[in-house]
Amino acid sequence: MNALEKRYGLPLPPKVTRRIDHELAIIFEKNFSAYFLVVEHIVAYCLRITNVCPIKHNLYFERFLNPGRQDPPDIDIDFAWDERDAILNRVLTRFAGHAAMVASHILFQPRMAVRETARVFGLSQGEIKQVTARLPGFWRLETAEKSLADQIRALPEFKDMDFPDPWSKILAKARALVGCPRYLSVHPGGIVITPKPINTYVPVETAPKGVPVIQWEKEGTEKAGLVKIDLLGNRSLGVIRDCISSIEQTRKKFDDFQTMNPEDDPATQNLVAQGLTMDCFYIESPAMRLLQKKAKTGDFASLVIHSSIIRPAANAFIQAYLERLHTGKWTPIHPLAKGLLDDTFGIMVFQEDVARAAVCLAGFTHAQADGLRKIMSKKEKHRALSAYYTAFSKGAAAKEVSPEEIKRIWKMILSFSGYSFCKAHSASYARVSFQAAYLKTHYPAQFMAAVISNQGGFYSCFAYVSEARRMGVKILGPDIHKSRIRWQGKKNTLRAGFMAIKGLAQNCMEKIIKERKKRPFSHGLNFFSRVRPQKGHAQALINSGCLDRLTDQNSRAALLWAFYAWQAATAPRSLFSPPRPDIPDLPPDLPMDRLRKEFSTLGFLCSGHPLTLFAKRLQGQDLVKAVDIPAHQGQQVRIAGWLITGKTVRTKQGDPMKFLTFEDDTGIVETVFFPRPYARFCHILDYGKPYILSGTVESEWGAATLTVTATQRISYPEYFMKF
């Protein structure tokens, strides 16, 4: 009761007391009183397990728990990704002998089978990667009759590749492995706690990482009636935590989220409405950013809808949603369902919408409706969906719903095939997304530093650095006296951390910090003698520009000379050892050579976008900048872009196509490669490389994309090493 009062104050609103009484009654009836790690309803809200109010957002408790439900509820709790292992260890220690992780049975898929078989044949990692890197992530064997070799050769990604011996033997043997068990792994966060010793319920073994693990997967665990709790790691929670910590280093306390809701901040709403949400948790993918641009809405309720409707099988209903959103014209899916889907313009968006529609239109019980919901989310694959369609049709017909209306409504239900969210899940994700968007809006440098330091998200470090630069943040390279291991943001500057330097070991970073605390480094020889880096570490530090302040010369070659001089001085001497040379005056570095080495070491340029290095190659090409793409609606254009991410999908006919994201120094361009251009050009597309694209600018609800008809690689200048 105290928790309830803290959440809602006194006197308690009648609708709150009615809701808490309703939920507690079901919890007691189902004997889940001790099962306090519950989410998505008012009990969890009062216990501060979740921060999403079920009253305000009209959350459907029966989706979580209802009197007819036979299996235990599914619980997911997210923690910052780097805190999860400690929490799991704490739970396993506290309930030692009564707790274990859930297993995951790893089967050989084509890519894995090819890789492992090729290793047995003695092929190098480079030779193996030439094949496995081109296998689409979604690809699976399509027919048992067709050989693996024939299927791979038929893929457009391999149109320019030969398969010399022993590849024919490798692929033949790999085919036999596909679908076979490879090893028993550990579920990312699933844990089971039992009242009696756990080995009296299920066989338990110790995983290689040292934790106890049951030998059943999650499906078997749930079937046996064991309660599975998912303790999951979330990188965005780490980003928010670290950004707030960075802010508090420059002021006493960050209390923005206590004094106001980030979703109510006008500036944040504007950023969300424009789709400028790269690095903002669940709303940073190209598809989500495009949906935001098309919807032009930045309010919390809309974002909750968008977080759930953006699913693979719902494209047609996304278009219907946008039309109803902008025109305001829509009708209920049926007169019996009047008021049921008013918040989503008459479209089923959340998992519980399926359950509610089944109850309302077909007379399902809550338990029956929840069973239908589970099948749609593929949690109970063994149960026949056709049986539910028969029951739905019969029940709806009894309520005088016409056959045509039944088919139309069922088609909407089928759009939930695959993954989908309940409203509470979407609301929780939307809240975290809004917190991230708020920090990005008001503390961009600190936020981007936290994003890159947590090494997660949809994009690469390169793309996040570019995004920071577009926001007006100045990028500063790693500095031996100013950098930390992680990235730092301050005011409008973003300083690269030692972690940005490829190939630099953690122990070397820590040694630098330790020695620097004693006293600053005075020059190159002083640094090398105190830190004693390996050759590869020294070269990476030098090429990144991290040691520039340790030499009077405008030459990184002088620092390399100093390293070799230190090596010579510390090497065992013989009678024939040459005298230790002084560091000579060397000519300044060639600008392009310096940039080339910097890019190959960091993966980005501090001074600007790497496309600027190709300026001479691009002169006279009549290219359009990314920022100007919307002004060319319906026109054929050519652009130069750097490929940063992409997603391969299949059409209804089963043909592969791809959505790719490119950027230049002015902005981002979302592109579509339909099956024919995809088959023609997919073998030359590689992330982190520059291209010239030709295509037509399309615009839908104000969001511009490029439908690509042709593409070509931009060749590297002679002075520029390929990376």
Side-chain angles (χ1 to χ4, degrees), residues 420-488:
S420 57
F421 287 169
C422 62
K423 188 175 183 181
H425 193 158
S426 290
S428 297
Y429 270 26
R431 185 165 181 83
V432 175
S433 298
F434 253 108
Q435 288 178 339
Y438 177 90
L439 294 171
K440 179 178 182 179
T441 301
H442 297 284
Y443 307 95
Q446 293 96 324
F447 178 73
M448 296 306 300
V451 168
I452 300 174
S453 294
N454 278 277
Q455 304 178 72
F458 203 90
Y459 306 89
S460 64
C461 174
F462 171 92
Y464 290 129
V465 169
S466 295
E467 175 73 354
R469 188 180 288 116
R470 285 191 292 269
M471 296 163 62
V473 175
K474 184 178 180 181
I475 311 300
L476 303 177
D479 184 287
I480 199 62
H481 282 154
K482 295 183 178 181
S483 289
R484 301 174 186 170
I485 293 178
R486 297 164 69 88
W487 289 62
Q488 303 168 75

Side-chain angles (χ1 to χ4, degrees), residues 485-500:
I485 293 178
R486 297 164 69 88
W487 289 62
Q488 303 168 75
K490 188 176 182 180
K491 295 183 179 179
N492 67 332
T493 62
L494 181 61
R495 169 77 68 181
F498 294 134
M499 64 183 294

